[in-house]
Amino acid sequence: MKKVMFMVLLFAALTAQAQGNEERETINVEAAAGYNWLTNSNITPFGIHYRDNYKGGFSGSVSVNYLFADDWGVGIYYSALGTEGNFDLDASNKVSENIDVNYIAPQIRLVDARRGRWGYAASLGVGYLWYKNNGWMNETDYEVTAHACGVHGSILVSYRVMPHMDVFANLNSFDALKMKDVECTAQGGTQIILLNQADPYKLKFRSVGVQLGVRAVF
């Protein structure tokens, strides 16, 4: 994640002067979909021995940004990733999981500049990430949830196709800073499980992805 943050800051510094004599927009609304890869993550509560079953998943994001006169702004950002896995714990225990990771945060749009039809943007934010796992072990279903502070960064390149509409591609990352405990519901009971940071069953979420989307500008 540190590398992504460095890329975002460097991108902002290099493109801060990119705004030409175009009419400035004040608000933009972005929606995108793509794929996020998991990096150094343990997204299953069964531990690190089974994390190779999860390489990544399809993702989507939505953001609304208010831009100030000097090419920076503030906004709200939402992103989600979904993935699923199937694996054997042993010869008699089979597991199937459907996992969703959601994240919402305020963000700073470090730069939002345009040269002709091309646009450039970079954003950073810190917010709230929540994890939900609907799984089955043999014939028994269970639900695991966890919550954490999250962080995200993105770099976006856009192209103006209509007076108030762009298409764009972005490089993004949204990660959990800590997931110390999980809530597990199974067979009618709920249990809170506290995990040491060195525990091999500790949930970890780190991702990097590429998305394509559309942006409305006003």
Side-chain angles (χ1 to χ4, degrees):
M1 185 63 194
K2 291 181 180 178
K3 292 182 179 179
V4 174
M5 294 299 186
F6 175 78
M7 291 170 60
V8 171
L9 291 170
L10 179 62
F11 180 87
L14 292 175
T15 60
Q17 303 301 319
Q19 181 75 34
N21 295 322
E22 312 281 352
E23 181 182 355
R24 295 181 184 274
E25 292 99 18
T26 303
I27 297 173
N28 65 48
V29 181
E30 299 166 350
Y35 192 89
N36 274 57
W37 292 267
L38 297 173
T39 62
N40 192 27
S41 297
N42 175 34
I43 202 169
T44 174
F46 287 98
I48 60 176
H49 302 294
Y50 303 97
R51 67 182 182 182
D52 286 343
N53 293 280
Y54 298 94
K55 304 298 183 183
F58 291 102
S59 63
S61 65
V62 177
S63 69
V64 179
N65 302 284
Y66 180 86
L67 306 177
F68 298 102
D70 50 356
D71 307 333
W72 71 281
V74 295
I76 188 77
Y77 175 86
Y78 169 79
S79 188
L81 177 145
T83 187
E84 59 185 24
N86 301 282
F87 51 90
D88 297 335
L89 293 179
D90 51 45
S92 58
N93 290 302
K94 300 181 181 299
V95 172
S96 177
E97 296 182 316
N98 295 318
I99 297 172
D100 294 301
V101 180
N102 295 271
Y103 170 79
I104 189 167
Q107 71 175 6
I108 297 176
R109 180 57 59 91
L110 299 175
V111 59
D112 201 308
R114 187 156 57 90
R115 285 180 174 169
R117 289 182 176 269
W118 291 98
Y120 313 88
S123 302
L124 287 173
V126 177
Y128 172 67
L129 183 145
W130 66 101
Y131 163 99
K132 184 176 181 181
N133 181 340
N134 290 311
W136 295 264
M137 181 188 295
N138 298 330
E139 299 301 322
T140 301
D141 65 316
Y142 58 87
E143 180 181 281
V144 178
T145 58
H147 309 271
C149 181
V151 61
H152 78 275
S154 67
I155 296 173
L156 180 153
V157 177
S158 64
Y159 184 78
R160 181 65 46 90
V161 293
M162 297 175 63
H164 295 283
M165 180 175 291
D166 299 337
V167 295
F168 67 84
N170 73 45
L171 172 65
N172 71 86
S173 175
F174 70 108
D175 307 353
L177 297 182
K178 292 182 179 180
M179 286 188 180
K180 287 187 175 181
D181 60 273
V182 300
E183 181 178 292
C184 182
T185 301
Q187 297 181 325
T190 299
Q191 182 181 9
I192 304 295
I193 304 172
L194 300 178
L195 300 176
N196 183 280
Q197 289 299 292
D199 197 313
Y201 297 94
K202 179 190 67 176
L203 294 176
K204 296 169 59 179
F205 178 76
R206 294 178 178 174
S207 73
V208 61
V210 176
Q211 297 177 336
L212 301 176
V214 295
R215 173 168 64 179
V217 294
F218 307 96

